Amino acid sequence: MDGIITQRLVELTFAPLDEVAGWLTRLGMETDQREEGVVRIHNPHLSITTAITAISDPVSRAVCLGFAVAGIWWPHLFPNLLTEVNKAWRSRRKQADSNAPLVGQSPGKENSQSRPARKPPPVTVPTFTDLYKNRNPGK
């Protein structure tokens, strides 16, 4: 059962706010949108209130969803939630990167990622440490 709920929370982490609010309402929670991109969630069974924003990162959204559903016990009830959200987030980023058009150099031997790392050139401007070392305290 934990796996099914965890998977649903992962799906809702990346879902539009309207879908999240609808699902939570079907579970018996009170939801409302006071501002654009913000959904306030009140769980009357646990007497807790939280909010989810559209600009939050997926981990923050998952924590808010877990808290809305299970209160302070969400880490114990859904111990794999953040791990699964991170996996889904990573795969979505990889998929988005693979669908993005290539900009700049084409991949291959000329690509900067295939070259060995080099040290940056030396700094010509003296640093604070250099100035401090060269200072003569006796003058």
Side-chain angles (χ1 to χ4, degrees), residues 44-116:
H45 310 291
L46 300 174
S47 297
I48 57 172
T49 302
T50 187
I52 298 176
T53 64
I55 60 171
S56 295
D57 63 285
V59 173
S60 298
R61 286 182 75 169
V63 169
C64 288
L65 283 170
F67 183 73
V69 172
I72 61 172
W73 302 279
W74 77 265
H76 303 287
L77 296 173
F78 315 119
N80 299 321
L81 178 61
L82 297 183
T83 304
E84 295 299 319
V85 166
N86 281 329
K87 285 180 189 177
W89 193 11
R90 197 174 304 119
S91 68
R92 286 171 183 259
R93 283 192 319 228
K94 284 181 183 179
Q95 184 180 12
D97 289 344
S98 67
N99 292 339
L102 294 175
V103 178
Q105 297 178 346
S106 60
K109 291 184 180 180
E110 296 83 23
N111 190 347
S112 63
Q113 292 177 353
S114 63
R115 293 186 204 152

Side-chain angles (χ1 to χ4, degrees), residues 4 6 8 14 20 22 24 31 42 51-52 61-62 64 71-73 77 80 88 95 99-101 106 124 131 135 138:
I4 295 170
T6 299
R8 182 63 179 149
F14 299 98
V20 174
L24 292 171
T31 62
H42 177 70
I52 298 176
R61 286 182 75 169
C64 288
I72 61 172
W73 302 279
L77 296 173
N80 299 321
Q95 184 180 12
N99 292 339
S106 60
T124 57
L131 293 173
R135 194 176 114 204

